């Protein structure tokens, strides 16, 4: 029994799973009201069609058979005209409500999707994947449009309307009703049969579109490099190949779509013809009244119409479901946030523990502990971190140093929860960091990246990004502490100067000072700073270091740097090489050794002197 259900026949006999995507249905229930409205209007249209068929058959029967004058059928004719008008109005509103439903559903999906991408962080959305995600968030979600606006309402209508029509035909003429009952289900049957065929092709088309977008975006971003190395011709060939594959896939989907449209039309036509023939034979024998036969004959195409329309929208289901697969795949990625839904409480708990820890600085257990942490960015890839162990006491300032590629930024990425360690664990107050939700955890830290991103907007908007409700005084105070106030005032419109795309151009140092001001404004207990003094001249660096000393007071700070001078301020230094910690300790203690740090520092001093 189970075997059959699993087999090909089971899939055809029990096609419900095939007809609907569970996760999309969940979204559809969110816009239930609008969908029901559209369906109700569709049922209304079907009723009007029945009434129209009846009136039309009466008019024709009376005029042709009984030679009735126009005045006798005038009422009917006006009725028909009224119905035609009404149908148009119904049609209009049902279209509008269905679109409304789809727009709302898409909005929800898109919002969730973008939120998820943001909280997954930059490591997830890097390289080729950026293009693929872009394609999913634009094309993919757009392709849900027909699923919500057309497919779902039509699916319900295809169930209701034919049964409704049968209810009218059965009392009039049972023989024709029988023909309808037998031929009707053949249309969905063939639709499923062809749909199965189209499913794989449509999936392939969607994948090749995504691949093309991914490749294209990656290429655009690297265009300068490609040009410099004279490789743009090769890449043009690759693009040609990828687009050609997409063209072929699209055409094969089109072939199936045309084939299915043809088969469904054909089925509808043949079925109507069968009804016409049986009616005709009985008319000749005189066993059925002319007006009744006419009514049934006019109604027959209307009976098949919703089934045929469903067939037309069936490929909307396919492309919708394919896009949905990818969308929900992203939405359901586990981010290591074990507990959701009670963010406030957890965060308070975290902060409360921190406060306790604050009192116990220097005594008790460490606040943060890296325990044999290992990190691979890619499955079976190189290990960016190996057996990393260190403790951080609350309020400590830790400097991570080491040659480029040593794994400094990777430690910060783990602390930002942009990546999950592939081995070992990170403990906060003795519990795994993953017990806290990503949102809570990020809520208590500020991060100043090496190349801070400034959004298109004014300076004050960019600063308030850290805390939207900050007063203007607080903003100015933060800017002053970050040594950004002076240069901001020297800009043409001061704090209201637009920056980012099309706005004022800021130097690297200025952008970094704005990012630090942002961190000041956020006032978080944990600060993560990644090489923020790199690419600055000595003057700017000195300013920035002073600002950082202010910022770090009373906070836990973990920063990476390759400037020796910066490290002297730290409480503790962790030296990394090739993903391993090779030395750690206070600057004084490390200086007394013959290790890497001492050597670095000696070279540095020699250079300065
Ligand atoms: P550092 O900040 O010390 O220069 P990173 O932590 O950035 O070093 O990098 C450590 C190693 O991990 C390097 O070999 C780098 O190539 C690799 N790496 C860093 N980020 C990624 C990433 N997103 N995907 C794959 N590999 C990465
Ligand atoms: Mg780095």
């Amino acid at each position: 029994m189970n075997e059959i259900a699993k087999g090909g026949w089971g899939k055809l006999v029990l096609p419900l799973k095939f007809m609907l995507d569970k996760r999309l249905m969940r979204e559809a229930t969110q816009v239930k009201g609008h969908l029901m409205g559209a369906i109700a209007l569709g049922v209304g249209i079907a009723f009007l069609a029945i009434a129209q068929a009846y009136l039309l058959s009466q008019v024709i029967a009376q005029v042709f058979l009984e030679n009735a004058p126009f005045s006798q059928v005038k009422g009917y004719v006006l009725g028909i005209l009224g119905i035609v008008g009404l149908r148009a109005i119904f049609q209009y509103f049902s279209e509008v409500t269905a679109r409304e439903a789809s727009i709302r559903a898409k909005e929800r999906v898109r919002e969730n999707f973008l939120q998820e991408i943001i909280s997954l962080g930059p490591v997830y959305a890097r390289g080729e994947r950026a293009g693929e995600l872009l394609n999913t968030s634009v094309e993919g979600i757009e392709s849900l449009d027909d699923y919500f606006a057309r497919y779902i309402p039509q699916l319900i209508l295809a169930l209701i309307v034919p049964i409704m029509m049968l209810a009218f035909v059965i009392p009039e003429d049972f023989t024709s009703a029988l023909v309808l009952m037998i031929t009707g289900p053949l249309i969905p049957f063939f639709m499923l049969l062809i749909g199965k065929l189209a499913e794989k092709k449509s999936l392939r088309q969607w994948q090749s579109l995504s691949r093309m977008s991914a490749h294209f975006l990656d290429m655009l971003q690297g265009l300068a490099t490609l040009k410099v190395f004279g490789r743009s011709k090769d890449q043009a060939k690759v693009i040609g190949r990828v687009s050609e594959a997409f063209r072929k896939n699209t055409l094969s989907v089109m072939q199936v779509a045309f084939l299915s449209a043809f088969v469904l039309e054909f089925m509808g036509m043949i079925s109507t013809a069968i009804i016409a023939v049986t009616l005709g034979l009985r008319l000749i024998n005189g066993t059925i009244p002319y007006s009744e036969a006419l009514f049934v004959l006019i109604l027959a195409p209307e009976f098949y119409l919703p089934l045929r329309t469903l067939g037309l929208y069936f490929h909307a289901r396919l492309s919708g479901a394919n896009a949905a697969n990818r969308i929900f795949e992203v939405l359901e990625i586990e981010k290591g946030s074990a507990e959701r839904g009670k963010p406030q409480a957890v965060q308070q708990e975290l902060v409360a523990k921190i406060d306790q820890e604050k009192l116990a600085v220097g005594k008790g257990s460490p606040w943060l502990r890296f325990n044999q942490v290992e990190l691979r960015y890619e499955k079976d890839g190189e290990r960016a971190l190996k057996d990393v162990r260190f403790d951080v006491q609350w309020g400590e300032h830790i400097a991570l140093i080491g040659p480029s590629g040593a794994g400094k930024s990777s430690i910060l990425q783990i602390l930002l929860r942009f990546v999950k360690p592939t081995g070992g664990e990170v403990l906060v107050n003795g519990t795994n960091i993953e017990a806290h939700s990503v949102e809570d955890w990020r809520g208590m830290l500020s991060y100043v990246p090496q190349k801070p991103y400034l959004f298109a907007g004014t300076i004050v908007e960019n600063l308030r990004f850290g805390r939207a409700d900050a007063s203007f005084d607080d903003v100015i105070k933060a800017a002053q502490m970050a040594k950004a106030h002076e240069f901001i005032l020297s800009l043409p419109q001061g704090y209201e100067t637009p920056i980012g795309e099309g706005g004022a151009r800021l130097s690297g140092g200025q952008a970094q000072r704005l990012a630090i001001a942002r961190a000041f404004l956020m006032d978080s207990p944990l600060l993560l700073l990644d090489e923020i003094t790199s690419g600055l001249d000595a003057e700017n660096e000195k300013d920035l270091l002073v600002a950082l000393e202010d910022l770090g007071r009373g906070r836990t700070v973990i920063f990476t740097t390759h400037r020796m001078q910066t490290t002297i301020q730290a409480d503790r230094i962790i030296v990394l090489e090739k993903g391993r910690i090779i030395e750690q300790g206070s600057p004084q203690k490390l200086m007394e050794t013959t290790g890497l740090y001492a050597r670095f520092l000696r070279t540095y001093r020699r250079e300065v002197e």
Side-chain angles (χ1 to χ4, degrees):
M1 184 67 199
N2 246 346
E3 287 304 302
I4 297 172
K6 273 184 205 150
W9 274 107
K11 280 192 190 126
L12 281 177
V13 179
L14 297 167
L16 229 81
K17 191 175 145 272
F18 185 64
M19 306 279 285
L20 289 167
D21 185 287
K22 207 165 69 200
R23 295 159 309 183
L24 282 179
M25 282 314 284
R26 207 169 47 220
E27 293 301 324
T29 52
Q30 298 293 329
V31 288
K32 217 168 22 187
H34 284 91
L35 286 177
M36 302 261 250
I39 292 166
L41 286 164
V43 172
I45 293 171
F47 264 117
L48 290 174
I50 294 169
Q52 190 183 346
Y54 174 76
L55 292 180
L56 202 59
S57 65
Q58 289 302 317
V59 171
I60 294 173
Q62 287 183 24
V63 170
F64 281 91
L65 294 183
E66 296 158 28
N67 287 326
F70 179 69
S71 57
Q72 198 185 316
V73 293
K74 205 167 117 195
Y76 290 131
V77 172
L78 286 180
I80 291 172
L81 286 180
I83 286 173
V84 169
L86 217 53
R87 263 179 96 160
I89 294 171
F90 274 37
Q91 191 70 47
Y92 171 80
F93 281 106
S94 95
E95 193 86 8
V96 169
T97 27
R99 285 286 161 210
E100 182 70 30
S102 132
I103 288 168
R104 285 175 190 224
K106 277 189 305 183
E107 224 172 69
R108 260 177 58 91
V109 174
R110 185 167 284 136
E111 205 177 300
N112 291 340
F113 187 77
L114 292 181
Q115 288 234 328
E116 183 74 11
I117 300 282
I118 288 169
S119 75
L120 280 171
V123 172
Y124 181 77
R126 158 191 85 85
E128 291 226 340
R129 199 184 265 158
E132 188 261 334
L133 287 173
L134 190 68
N135 180 47
T136 305
S137 76
V138 181
E139 280 286 325
I141 292 175
E142 255 346 281
S143 73
L144 297 182
D145 201 21
D146 278 348
Y147 190 90
F148 288 119
R150 296 198 185 281
Y151 180 68
I152 293 181
Q154 195 57 42
L155 186 64
I156 314 270
L157 285 177
L159 287 174
I160 301 176
V161 172
I163 293 176
M164 219 169 84
M165 303 252 169
L166 271 182
F168 280 88
V169 175
I170 289 174
E172 294 280 324
D173 175 22
F174 189 74
T175 322
S176 300
L178 211 59
V179 176
L180 289 179
M181 275 189 271
I182 293 168
T183 53
L186 284 178
I187 292 183
F189 176 80
F190 275 100
M191 181 179 87
L192 284 174
L193 213 60
I194 297 171
K196 265 292 176 205
L197 184 68
E199 197 171 32
K200 266 198 212 89
K201 287 181 190 274
S202 161
L203 181 63
R204 211 174 307 139
Q205 184 209 20
W206 169 251
Q207 284 167 343
S208 78
L209 177 61
S210 289
R211 204 169 308 133
M212 192 164 76
S213 315
H215 196 74
F216 210 67
L217 185 68
D218 212 38
M219 200 100 62
L220 281 179
Q221 285 172 338
L223 201 58
T225 322
L226 289 173
K227 277 274 178 208
V228 169
F229 289 99
R231 299 296 298 270
S232 44
K233 283 257 166 60
D234 303 347
Q235 288 302 328
K237 267 183 216 144
V238 177
I239 291 221
R241 215 170 49 225
V242 178
S243 341
E244 178 65 13
F246 178 63
R247 185 190 68 84
K248 278 198 183 123
N249 283 323
T250 307
L251 275 182
S252 80
V253 172
M254 298 287 271
Q255 279 167 1
V256 176
F258 281 129
L259 174 70
S260 100
F262 169 73
V263 169
L264 297 183
E265 287 297 315
F266 188 70
M267 291 295 302
M269 216 168 65
I270 292 280
S271 309
T272 313
I274 293 173
I275 290 189
V277 169
T278 57
L279 286 173
L281 286 175
R282 279 177 295 152
L283 271 178
I284 293 169
N285 292 337
T287 52
I288 188 170
Y290 184 73
S291 66
E292 264 174 37
L294 205 55
F295 173 64
V296 173
L297 190 63
I298 295 173
L299 215 50
E302 300 279 353
F303 171 87
Y304 297 111
L305 187 65
L307 295 168
R308 266 166 41 203
T309 315
L310 181 64
L312 284 185
Y313 297 150
F314 198 65
H315 72 271
R317 185 210 80 95
L318 285 180
S319 53
N322 285 332
N325 275 339
R326 182 60 190 137
I327 293 166
F328 288 104
E329 207 175 280
V330 171
L331 283 181
E332 282 153 18
I333 286 178
E334 185 217 359
K335 282 169 300 173
S337 54
E339 294 159 57
R340 283 198 181 194
K342 43 171 182 173
Q344 287 301 322
V346 180
Q347 190 168 347
Q348 270 163 15
E349 188 197 340
L350 211 62
V351 173
K353 276 192 189 162
I354 289 165
D355 284 343
Q356 281 173 13
E357 225 26 70
K358 218 183 213 168
L359 299 171
V361 170
K363 313 177 212 165
S365 53
W367 174 59
L368 193 71
R369 163 168 283 178
F370 270 59
N371 193 6
Q372 294 176 291
V373 169
E374 182 205 272
L375 177 69
R376 287 176 210 270
Y377 280 97
E378 261 127 57
K379 241 190 196 162
D380 312 319
E382 279 283 307
R383 282 182 293 172
L385 294 176
K386 299 163 205 157
D387 192 22
V388 168
R389 313 174 200 210
F390 65 90
D391 290 346
V392 181
Q393 302 291 344
W394 179 254
E396 257 190 321
H397 292 188
I398 309 270
L400 301 171
I401 67 164
S404 143
K408 305 178 296 287
S409 301
S410 300
I411 289 181
L412 297 185
Q413 298 284 319
I414 289 178
L415 283 170
L416 284 160
R417 309 269 302 264
F418 287 153
V419 286
K420 245 168 88 169
T422 42
E425 53 185 358
V426 179
L427 303 173
V428 183
N429 289 316
T431 52
N432 196 317
I433 196 170
E434 282 166 25
H436 304 293
S437 84
V438 172
E439 287 75 17
D440 285 346
W441 175 252
R442 287 192 195 144
M444 55 166 280
L445 61 83
S446 302
Y447 170 52
V448 182
Q450 186 173 351
K451 288 204 190 95
Y453 189 77
L454 296 172
F455 299 91
T458 63
I459 292 214
V460 64
E461 278 166 3
N462 265 282
L463 294 179
R464 282 218 176 100
F465 199 72
R467 204 177 85 217
D469 59 350
S471 73
F472 195 60
D473 279 349
D474 286 346
V475 171
I476 291 184
K477 218 178 286 167
Q480 276 168 340
M481 285 202 280
K483 303 283 178 284
H485 183 65
E486 270 90 56
F487 91 77
I488 295 175
L489 285 189
S490 74
L491 293 171
Q493 287 151 276
Y495 279 83
E496 297 299 334
T497 309
I499 49 173
E501 254 162 72
R505 282 183 172 270
L506 300 181
S507 75
Q510 288 171 333
Q512 260 169 349
R513 273 179 279 171
L514 286 186
I516 291 172
R518 200 143 74 181
F520 266 122
L521 206 57
M522 270 170 86
D523 199 24
S524 334
L526 173 62
L527 270 178
L528 303 176
L529 314 169
D530 199 357
E531 309 240 358
I532 50 174
T533 60
S534 66
L536 294 192
D537 55 43
E539 190 63 27
N540 270 320
E541 185 178 1
K542 213 181 273 168
D543 278 1
L544 204 65
L545 288 178
V546 175
L548 280 176
E549 242 186 275
D550 286 342
L551 180 58
R553 213 158 283 143
R555 297 172 215 274
T556 309
V557 185
I558 301 176
F559 65 102
T560 78
T561 182
H562 61 264
R563 300 253 170 145
M564 282 298 131
Q565 198 192 346
T566 330
T567 62
I568 302 169
Q569 296 176 0
D571 296 318
R572 205 141 48 83
I573 291 166
I574 294 175
V575 186
L576 286 152
E577 196 179 44
K578 292 184 185 147
R580 282 184 200 283
I581 295 185
I582 53 168
E583 291 168 54
Q584 59 175 314
S586 69
Q588 292 76 14
K589 213 182 95 193
L590 287 185
M591 258 186 275
E592 288 158 14
T593 66
T594 53
L596 195 64
Y597 178 71
R599 282 209 306 278
F600 270 156
L601 201 65
R602 253 171 249 139
T603 327
Y604 167 74
R605 292 236 160 109
R606 219 171 295 138
E607 274 167 17
V608 172
E609 281 152 16

